[in-house]
Amino acid sequence: MGKVKITETILRDAHQSLIATRMTLDDMKPMLKAIDDVGFYSVEAWGGATFDACLRFLDEDPWERLRVIKSYMKNTKVQMLYRGQNMLGYRHYADDVVEYFVQKSVANGVDILRVFDALNDKRNLEASVRATKKEGAHLQAALSYTLSPVHNIEYFVNYAKELEDMGADSICIKDMAALITPTMAYDLVKALKETVKIPVQLHTHYTSGLASMALLKGIEAGVDIIDTAMSPMALGTSHAPTESMVAALQGTEYDTGLDLKKLNIVREHCVKLREKYLANGLLNPKVLGVDANTLLYQVPGGMLSNLISQLKQAGKEDQLDAVLHEVPEVRKDAGYPPLVTPSSQIVGTQAVFNVVMGERYKMVTKEFKALVRGEYGKTPVPIDPAFRKKIIGDEKPIDCRPADLLEPELEKLKAEFPKEFYEQEEDVLSYAQFGQVATKFFEKRRDKKYGVDAAHADRENNVHPV
């Protein structure tokens, strides 16, 4: 046993979980040097929903954010999360785009790429592994943790071994829905440590109230790294508090070696941010509590709020219990996908339709059809052929790696890119993933740079500043 390492999530998952990823770069800057001074193993600072939020809501260039963060992180590895063949968008991209995305992420400052697939289909990670190895960065492959009749220790250990054989540098147990219990954390980490020769990291959320206990049991079983969040932005749908975990391990064989005084400098700034977010309504006190329904229904917090919102729109709020009972049934029919983006939204929306229409699968969403057809990859359990036929009719199921059906598209995207907005090579990747949202951002960025009147005049005269 050695020191436990810590990945700090304050710059990405903590605020994604609590305030819908609205922390700005200006909010981050005053604490970046102090974070770098702590001695964390890594800081998760990019990927997830940060890219979308930067472009859509914050009028920030996500690439510039990454470069600024990296300029402060002289001693600490910068880490990101993305969805394999989906990257940070909502469809599968061709291999050449995924490879370009990895290349540019590393060139702009990412040291560790944590990559996962919603179905735990390793084929959807192949391009990412290949590209990350080529760039000489650290590839952390994540197991999307979930519960079902097939998702047991043997399943996850076998998957981890496959990922190690593919070239993963470390394994992350990614418990996005806060389902892992302390006992399971111990047993799973122990089994993984006996099977793979690479480091194992544990990522879990506080939603169900189990995170600190699960992390501690994982540590006792030999986990190498844990994910935590600075205490003012911890708990609830976020993570276990960094300072509390550091204090709990002090003086033990697992001592992190981190200094609580240095952590307190970061904490003081985070306290100000918390007060600001509570005052402006970004931080809803409700998300800071424990919701044990997570364990009862195995539905992640974000998915639960989506279901309630969909039922409200249909005027059927009283049917929430029926929908919560229908979710596991739809999931079973669809081959037990883990409930994480995008499968959580697909399964949840179909469950709402089944209940609201009064008949199962009377109306089927195009995303659910795509999932059943195999467009997202191979489901953990094969889908019953009779059910598949009911959903997709005579359409041919996809049995190969879905990306094998995609033609190279990078050059096409570059040609399509609106040239008047071009400022950097990375812009084509923003455009590829977020289309109109990215174009609106580029327009604002250009108008800000040249002044609204000048930009308007340029457009009138067909002059395109580059």
Side-chain angles (χ1 to χ4, degrees):
M1 295 295 162
K3 283 184 176 180
V4 170
K5 299 183 176 86
I6 289 186
T7 292
E8 174 55 59
T9 64
I10 189 70
L11 302 181
R12 204 286 293 179
D13 205 1
H15 70 97
Q16 179 170 322
S17 300
L18 295 178
I19 59 165
T21 335
R22 296 297 200 277
M23 190 185 286
T24 63
L25 184 57
D26 284 344
D27 284 346
M28 296 173 185
K29 274 182 187 173
M31 61 175 164
L32 293 178
K33 172 134 188 4
I35 290 173
D36 188 47
D37 287 343
V38 169
F40 291 117
Y41 167 70
S42 66
V43 174
E44 195 198 40
W46 211 59
T50 59
F51 209 100
D52 191 344
C54 278
L55 296 170
R56 196 183 299 267
F57 303 114
L58 305 178
D59 286 337
E60 277 186 32
D61 176 10
W63 298 98
E64 180 59 19
R65 171 183 285 201
L66 174 56
R67 290 190 287 265
V68 169
I69 290 170
K70 185 61 184 175
S71 71
Y72 284 89
M73 297 292 152
K74 307 292 184 200
N75 311 301
T76 315
K77 296 183 184 84
V78 172
Q79 184 165 323
M80 76 169 291
L81 172 80
Y82 75 107
R83 297 189 287 272
Q85 212 72 34
N86 279 175
M87 302 193 305
L88 300 170
Y90 301 99
R91 68 169 174 89
H92 275 189
Y93 292 86
D95 288 351
D96 60 342
V97 180
V98 174
E99 286 160 10
Y100 193 56
F101 175 72
V102 169
Q103 181 196 328
K104 288 298 180 189
S105 299
V106 175
N108 281 278
V110 174
D111 301 292
I112 300 171
L113 292 92
R114 178 183 291 172
V115 60
F116 75 98
D117 178 64
L119 300 180
N120 288 325
D121 183 344
K122 66 177 182 183
R123 299 173 306 171
N124 291 333
L125 305 183
E126 284 172 10
S128 296
V129 174
R130 201 167 52 238
T132 306
K133 304 310 275 184
K134 186 181 172 189
E135 296 305 317
H138 180 113
L139 189 282
Q140 183 173 84
L143 321 171
S144 294
Y145 180 80
T146 188
L147 302 173
S148 85
V150 295
H151 290 94
N152 52 26
I153 286 176
E154 186 186 6
Y155 170 92
F156 287 117
V157 167
N158 288 340
Y159 184 45
K161 187 75 188 101
E162 289 175 345
L163 295 171
E164 181 184 35
D165 291 344
M166 277 172 72
D169 297 299
S170 61
I171 295 291
C172 175
I173 303 164
K174 178 179 161 54
D175 176 28
M176 56 280 170
L179 297 175
I180 204 163
T181 62
T183 308
M184 184 58 171
Y186 183 91
D187 292 345
L188 180 52
V189 169
K190 191 167 184 294
L192 287 170
K193 292 298 290 178
E194 286 167 359
T195 309
V196 299
K197 303 289 182 282
I198 52 179
V200 175
Q201 185 153 356
L202 179 53
H203 168 97
T204 185
H205 289 253
Y206 222 97
T207 325
S208 61
L210 297 175
S212 296
M213 293 179 278
L215 290 177
L216 196 54
K217 292 304 285 183
I219 288 164
E220 287 174 2
V223 87
D224 300 280
I225 315 156
I226 58 171
D227 284 14
T228 61
M230 292 303 302
S231 58
M233 296 290 283
L235 306 177
T237 50
S238 179
H239 309 277
T242 303
E243 307 95 307
S244 308
M245 291 306 298
V246 168
L249 299 173
Q250 268 184 345
T252 72
E253 61 189 303
Y254 313 110
D255 197 321
T256 62
L258 301 186
D259 184 342
L260 286 168
K261 289 193 176 106
K262 286 185 177 179
L263 282 168
N264 194 45
I265 298 168
V266 183
R267 183 189 167 276
E268 282 173 357
H269 179 68
C270 292
V271 167
K272 290 178 199 159
L273 292 180
R274 178 190 166 104
E275 285 166 0
K276 172 183 163 179
Y277 300 145
L278 281 167
N280 66 15
L282 266 182
L283 181 55
N284 183 335
K286 277 185 186 171
V287 301
L288 297 168
V290 164
D291 183 0
N293 275 344
T294 300
L295 296 167
L296 199 57
Y297 300 115
Q298 296 173 27
V299 167
M303 183 179 171
L304 189 62
S305 50
N306 274 349
L307 296 178
I308 293 166
S309 155
Q310 286 173 345
L311 286 168
K312 257 188 190 165
Q313 286 167 13
K316 305 267 187 181
E317 284 169 87
D318 57 328
Q319 307 230 24
L320 179 62
D321 272 353
V323 169
L324 288 171
H325 284 102
E326 179 63 8
V327 165
E329 295 303 315
V330 173
R331 188 173 170 231
K332 180 182 171 185
D333 290 339
Y336 289 110
L339 296 178
V340 63
T341 305
S343 51
S344 50
Q345 291 90 324
I346 296 170
V347 168
T349 303
Q350 190 57 52
V352 169
F353 276 12
N354 286 0
V355 168
V356 168
M357 302 299 289
E359 184 187 323
R360 304 189 76 222
Y361 306 111
K362 182 179 182 180
M363 188 171 170
V364 181
T365 68
K366 90 172 184 300
E367 290 81 9
F368 189 74
K369 277 184 181 167
L371 176 66
V372 170
R373 185 170 171 245
E375 286 177 35
Y376 292 95
K378 188 179 173 187
T379 51
V381 171
I383 293 170
D384 176 55
F387 177 74
R388 183 185 269 166
K389 186 160 177 59
K390 177 181 176 178
I391 300 300
I392 67 169
D394 294 327
E395 284 184 46
K396 192 173 183 297
I398 293 170
D399 294 321
C400 64
R401 183 182 78 112
D404 287 342
L405 301 173
L406 300 174
E407 294 288 327
E409 56 178 331
L410 182 59
E411 293 311 314
K412 180 171 163 273
L413 287 163
K414 284 180 177 176
E416 239 178 58
F417 183 83
K419 296 291 182 288
E420 68 268 29
F421 300 134
Y422 179 89
E423 279 195 16
Q424 57 184 354
E425 289 181 346
E426 291 80 1
D427 287 343
V428 75
L429 287 160
S430 305
Y431 174 73
Q433 294 173 92
F434 296 103
Q436 284 304 108
V437 170
T439 304
K440 275 184 190 158
F441 164 75
F442 295 144
E443 192 166 1
K444 283 183 190 166
R445 179 181 69 180
R446 192 266 312 271
D447 288 355
K448 200 169 163 185
K449 188 172 178 180
Y450 291 95
V452 175
D453 295 335
H456 180 72
D458 284 342
R459 281 199 293 278
E460 291 295 307
N461 299 312
N462 290 320
V463 174
H464 301 319
V466 172

